[in-house]
């Protein structure tokens, strides 16, 4: 196949037209020009093909050859992905830098995983075993926490004819030889290739029933994310999308994090690349990178590679899911990916739809988000992929096409609010416009694992916040003094919910992560305050007197003063609240 060649006829940025390419295939990976730039065939008409090039095309000339590889755009899957930093087409950035290259040079080729490194392999299959697709025949301890399971590739099955003993092997070394029913033999190595645009196969999809626990109160209690779910995280500039994703990457109870920096500004991605290797995984007290794959594709890298980075990331996530792990993907941001689609579509001279985006933007977004889910893998494990896609609407305008279409395909929407961010309320997730479609699905889990009345309490607090919003409009017109005491109490309780519960300090040792049990008990204390204070209001005690009670300050300081391992202090505070207001009623009566 590799000797088939076309000829470059025209170059328009990352879009190259080639002649004599009738025998090429759509979505085939090709190398373009003397520098062998990596590209992908996007359309073929007769013998003229259009190629999307994933590198800078500066210096490329008409008349240069285009070579076929005979393969679709693929990634190499095997040990060595965890802890690595790749670009949008899986080239390892640290390895490229070690060649004394500060920028990725054109024509460096398809370097991916380190083929020379030797891994300690434990071979688990034996000669004579019958293996089918998805079965594990060897394992590698990739990092302290992740056991990498080497699985039989899709569409391959047979009896083990030969097998090597456990020991040190490189990625391309043959570990086992399978004999198929037709007596053909297949060599199995430690790595496999997979086309990025094709979802990896599964046995069946399962209903979602477990939450992804993040330790962030506004998410876990108010707008829970489910394992296997899809979440949109839209927000204008400076509202804290990246910080929220950092918190989710660090604290969520996923086994593996795939962080795709898709077209974000270089300095923002540099922050991620500098911060992540320093972060410590709170569960193991070891570097967080031991369960993280980073894909860095900044806005000054070639636009076309940005379009591929989303698919590279999700394919890697599916590979670890097939081993039985829960994987969470942070895509930061899908807006930049959509902009890459828009630019390439414009250069392909396609008819634009709304705001210049291609007409197929919704279907591309849907294809990406539907690769999330809770599944039964080929080898019978239950595993999940959760996708959290940040969206960067220009000027924070949620009515633009990427945000609107993301809303159609995700079941949770954590809207970051400019006003909250400017008021220093972080995470700046708007507690009135956000929503989660997973509340009903997770109801049984919350009842069994947290408390039977957890979701009831959540509902009560959301209703209070909605009442507070309505009353605030009246207060802005006529002042708070005209409100009856029971309505003034709603304002006071909502203030405590916002300041004492929803606001969370990512840099505070006790407040950065909060267990579900503590979240529930905090809400319970606030609820007790509201019910007890309401009894006082009903016997005619003015709100000004209630506000002077010291217990209100104690409730506001729960998040800092009560450590996560001393939750019994919350029960003490609950009793103190009841006693304070009982004493107050007695005094007045």
């Amino acid at each position: 196949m590799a000797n088939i060649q076309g000829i470059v006829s025209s170059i328009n940025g990352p879009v190259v037209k080639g002649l004599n390419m009738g025998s090429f295939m759509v979505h085939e990976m090709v190398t373009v020009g003397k520098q062998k730039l990596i590209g992908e065939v996007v359309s073929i008409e007769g013998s003229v093909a259009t190629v999307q090039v994933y590198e800078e095309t500066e210096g490329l000339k008409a008349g240069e050859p285009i070579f076929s590889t005979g393969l679709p755009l693929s990634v190499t899957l095997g040990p060595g992905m965890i802890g690595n930093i790749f670009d949008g087409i899986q080239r390892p950035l640290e390895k490229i830098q070690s060649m004394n290259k500060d920028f990725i040079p054109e024509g460096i080729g398809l370097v991916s995983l380190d083929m020379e490194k030797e891994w300690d392999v434990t071979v688990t299959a034996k000669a004579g075993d019958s293996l089918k697709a998805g079965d594990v025949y060897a394992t590698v301890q990739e990092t302290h926490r992740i056991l990498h399971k080497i699985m039989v590739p899709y569409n391959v099955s047979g009896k083990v004819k030969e097998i090597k003993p456990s020991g040190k092997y490189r990625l391309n070394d043959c570990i086992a030889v399978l004999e198929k029913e037709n007596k053909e033999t297949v060599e199995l190595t430690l790595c496999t290739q997979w086309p990025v645009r094709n979802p990896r196969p599964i046995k069946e999809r399962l209903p979602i029933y477990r939450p992804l626990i993040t330790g962030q109160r506004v998410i876990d209690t108010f707008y829970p994310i489910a394992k296997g779910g899809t979440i949109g995280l839209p927000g204008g500039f400076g509202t804290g999308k990246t910080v929220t994703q950092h918190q989710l990457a660090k604290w969520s109870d996923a086994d593996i994090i795939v962080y795709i920096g898709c077209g974000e500004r270089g300095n923002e991605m540099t922050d991620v690349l500098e911060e992540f290797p320093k972060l410590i995984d709170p569960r193991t007290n070891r570097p967080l990178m031991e369960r993280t794959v980073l894909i860095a594709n900044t806005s000054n890298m070639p636009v076309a590679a940005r379009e591929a980075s989303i698919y590279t990331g999700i394919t890697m996530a599916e590979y670890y899911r097939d081993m039985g792990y829960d994987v969470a993907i942070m895509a930061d941001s899908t807006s930049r990916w959509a902009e890459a689609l828009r630019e390439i579509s414009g250069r392909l001279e396609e008819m634009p739809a709304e705001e210049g985006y291609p007409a197929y933007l919704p279907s591309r977004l849907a294809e990406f988000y539907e690769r999330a889910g809770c599944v039964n893998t080929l080898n019978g494990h239950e595993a999940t992929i959760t996708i959290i896609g940040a969206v960067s609407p220009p000027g924070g305008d949620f009515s633009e096409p990427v945000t609107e279409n993301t809303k159609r395909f995700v079941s949770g929407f954590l809207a970051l609010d400019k006003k909250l961010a400017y008021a220093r309320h972080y995470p700046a997730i708007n507690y009135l416009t956000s929503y989660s479609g997973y509340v009903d699905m997770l109801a049984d889990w919350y009842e069994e694992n947290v408390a039977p009345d957890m979701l009831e309490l959540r509902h009560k607090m959301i209703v209070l916040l909605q009442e507070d919003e309505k009353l605030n409009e009246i207060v802005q017109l006529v002042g708070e003094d005209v409100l009856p005491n029971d309505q003034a109490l709603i304002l006071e309780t909502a203030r405590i919910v916002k300041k004492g519960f929803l606001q969370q300090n990512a840099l505070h040792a006790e407040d950065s992560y909060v267990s579900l049990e503590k979240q529930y008990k905090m809400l319970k204390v606030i609820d007790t305050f509201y019910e007890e204070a309401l009894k006082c209001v009903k016997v005619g005690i003015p709100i000004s007197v209630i506000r002077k009670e010291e217990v209100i300050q104690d409730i506001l300081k729960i998040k800092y003063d009560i450590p996560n391992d001393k939750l019994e202090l919350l029960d003490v505070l609950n009793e103190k609240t009841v006693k304070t207001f009982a004493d107050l009623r007695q005094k007045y009566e």
Side-chain angles (χ1 to χ4, degrees):
M1 279 300 277
N3 57 1
I4 297 178
Q5 69 182 65
I7 299 152
V8 174
S9 65
S10 71
I11 303 141
N12 180 6
V15 173
V16 170
K17 283 217 179 324
L19 307 173
N20 190 28
M21 292 180 68
S23 57
F24 284 63
M25 294 176 292
V26 173
H27 292 321
E28 182 181 345
M29 189 160 56
V30 293
T31 57
V32 180
K34 291 173 186 158
Q35 287 180 298
K36 300 211 166 167
L37 308 176
I38 293 156
E40 181 184 15
V41 178
V42 290
S43 70
I44 301 173
E45 286 179 36
S47 65
V48 180
T50 306
V51 177
Q52 177 171 306
V53 181
Y54 292 120
E55 303 184 60
E56 286 295 344
T57 52
E58 203 175 325
L60 182 68
K61 296 193 283 289
E64 291 192 30
I66 299 174
F67 295 100
S68 161
T69 63
L71 296 166
L73 179 67
S74 304
V75 289
T76 304
L77 302 168
M81 296 195 310
I82 298 268
N84 217 325
I85 301 167
F86 299 101
D87 78 344
I89 48 174
Q90 209 204 5
R91 294 179 297 190
L93 299 183
E94 286 177 305
K95 187 177 177 186
I96 291 169
Q97 195 187 24
S98 68
M99 303 172 183
N100 293 326
K101 313 279 187 193
D102 284 340
F103 293 92
I104 302 174
E106 284 83 41
I108 193 168
L110 253 188
V111 286
S112 57
L113 301 179
D114 188 345
M115 293 296 169
E116 298 307 309
K117 182 175 177 177
E118 291 194 323
W119 295 90
D120 270 321
V121 181
T122 306
V123 178
T124 55
K126 299 184 290 296
D129 283 357
S130 285
L131 296 180
K132 61 182 187 315
D135 286 349
V136 177
Y137 57 90
T139 60
V140 171
Q141 195 67 47
E142 189 171 0
T143 66
H144 180 261
R145 186 172 169 175
I146 301 300
L147 182 71
H148 193 112
K149 299 165 188 171
I150 314 293
M151 298 166 292
V152 178
Y154 183 53
N155 270 347
V156 174
S157 61
K159 271 200 168 163
V160 179
K161 191 177 176 188
E162 296 169 33
I163 191 128
K164 295 267 181 72
S166 299
K168 283 192 179 297
Y169 297 99
R170 288 193 288 256
L171 291 186
N172 273 331
D173 292 347
C174 174
I175 303 295
V177 177
L178 279 194
E179 188 176 64
K180 294 184 179 178
E181 280 182 12
N182 60 6
K183 300 297 178 197
E184 267 183 43
T185 56
V186 182
E187 289 193 349
L188 302 180
T189 62
L190 292 180
C191 64
T192 178
Q193 296 267 325
W194 189 266
V196 295
R197 294 183 192 277
N198 296 0
R200 285 176 63 86
I202 53 170
K203 199 178 275 181
E204 61 175 337
R205 279 184 175 268
L206 300 171
I208 284 169
Y209 68 96
R210 290 178 294 160
L212 182 78
I213 297 162
T214 65
Q216 312 308 302
R217 292 185 291 265
V218 65
I219 296 175
D220 289 349
T221 298
F222 277 44
Y223 304 109
I225 300 173
K227 277 189 177 169
T230 51
I231 296 291
L233 188 70
F237 175 75
T239 51
K241 292 185 296 295
T242 305
V243 174
T244 306
Q245 289 203 318
H246 281 207
Q247 282 294 89
L248 296 178
K250 182 175 180 182
W251 293 108
S252 66
D253 64 341
D255 300 313
I256 289 169
I257 303 292
V258 179
Y259 193 102
I260 309 168
C262 176
E264 281 303 289
R265 292 178 306 287
N267 56 347
E268 216 168 275
M269 201 60 221
T270 307
D271 269 1
V272 174
L273 299 183
E274 284 184 350
E275 287 297 315
F276 262 66
K278 291 180 197 162
L279 289 177
I280 297 298
D281 185 348
R283 285 173 187 78
T284 56
N285 283 331
R286 296 176 64 85
L288 186 66
M289 284 300 284
E290 290 191 356
R291 62 182 183 101
T292 306
V293 181
L294 282 180
I295 296 173
N297 226 85
T298 57
S299 47
N300 60 344
M301 288 180 171
V303 159
R306 195 191 299 179
E307 195 261 337
S309 60
I310 288 268
Y311 298 107
T312 302
I314 191 90
T315 303
M316 289 178 174
E318 287 175 337
Y319 176 64
Y320 281 106
R321 174 207 66 194
D322 291 347
M323 295 178 202
Y325 291 116
D326 291 325
V327 187
I329 286 194
M330 313 287 156
D332 190 11
S333 107
T334 53
S335 293
R336 308 274 173 261
W337 168 70
E339 280 164 17
L341 281 182
R342 178 166 65 183
E343 171 151 343
I344 292 157
S345 169
R347 290 183 187 273
L348 291 170
E349 296 173 7
E350 294 169 342
M351 181 69 78
E354 198 182 351
E355 288 189 27
Y357 287 102
Y360 49 77
L361 172 69
S363 58
R364 289 287 175 86
L365 275 168
E367 279 168 17
F368 170 59
Y369 281 111
E370 74 183 7
R371 287 172 79 166
C374 178
V375 305
N376 193 354
T377 64
L378 292 179
N379 50 28
H381 287 290
E382 184 187 302
T384 60
I385 291 180
T386 310
I387 299 180
I388 297 153
V391 189
S392 316
D397 172 19
F398 287 3
S399 65
E400 58 87 47
V402 184
T403 315
E404 278 295 312
N405 284 305
T406 299
K407 237 178 174 175
R408 289 169 60 189
F409 306 120
V410 297
S411 295
F413 194 71
L414 303 177
L416 293 164
D417 192 294
K418 201 162 50 180
K419 285 181 189 161
L420 288 176
Y422 292 166
R424 296 283 178 269
H425 176 115
Y426 288 108
I429 293 168
N430 188 312
Y431 36 82
L432 296 171
T433 56
S434 300
Y435 61 83
S436 168
Y438 298 115
V439 177
D440 292 342
M441 294 182 200
L442 302 173
D444 292 347
W445 190 94
Y446 274 96
E447 273 179 29
E448 285 166 31
N449 295 280
V450 188
D453 61 339
M454 172 80 168
L455 295 181
E456 227 172 276
L457 256 184
R458 162 197 178 270
H459 178 68
K460 185 174 177 180
M461 293 302 155
I462 290 176
V463 170
L464 268 175
L465 289 169
Q466 287 167 342
E467 286 295 314
D468 168 69
E469 187 75 2
K470 287 180 201 161
L471 292 172
N472 265 323
E473 289 173 15
I474 299 168
V475 167
Q476 281 167 7
L477 286 172
V478 293
E480 199 177 324
D481 301 342
V482 299
L483 290 181
N485 279 336
D486 58 338
Q487 291 186 344
L489 178 63
I490 288 174
L491 291 182
E492 184 60 22
T493 312
R495 183 181 75 88
I496 294 172
V497 173
K498 287 185 269 192
K499 279 199 164 179
F501 188 81
L502 296 176
Q503 218 172 346
Q504 196 165 349
N505 187 343
L507 304 174
H508 190 280
E510 289 300 334
D511 203 32
S512 189
Y513 175 91
V514 181
S515 69
L516 272 173
E517 192 186 350
K518 184 177 175 183
Q519 293 183 35
Y520 168 70
K521 288 194 168 186
M522 284 172 78
L523 267 195
K524 200 77 183 152
V525 170
I526 295 170
D527 184 50
T528 302
F529 160 78
Y530 176 68
E531 291 300 335
E532 294 301 314
L534 192 57
K535 288 177 192 169
C536 293
V537 164
K538 282 178 178 166
V539 297
I541 300 173
I543 193 76
S544 54
V545 174
I546 292 170
R547 280 195 181 126
K548 286 178 187 159
E549 290 298 336
E550 183 195 321
V551 78
I552 293 180
Q553 291 311 312
D554 294 343
I555 295 171
L556 285 170
K557 289 184 199 158
I558 291 174
K559 54 186 182 180
Y560 299 136
D561 291 356
I562 296 184
N564 290 325
D565 55 356
K566 292 195 176 161
L567 299 187
E568 65 278 3
L569 294 177
L570 282 163
D571 300 330
V572 174
L573 181 57
N574 213 12
E575 285 162 21
K576 181 182 172 183
T577 308
V578 174
K579 187 176 183 309
T580 301
F581 289 112
D583 291 352
L584 187 62
R585 284 195 299 277
Q586 207 172 359
K587 192 168 144 190
Y588 263 75
E589 281 164 5

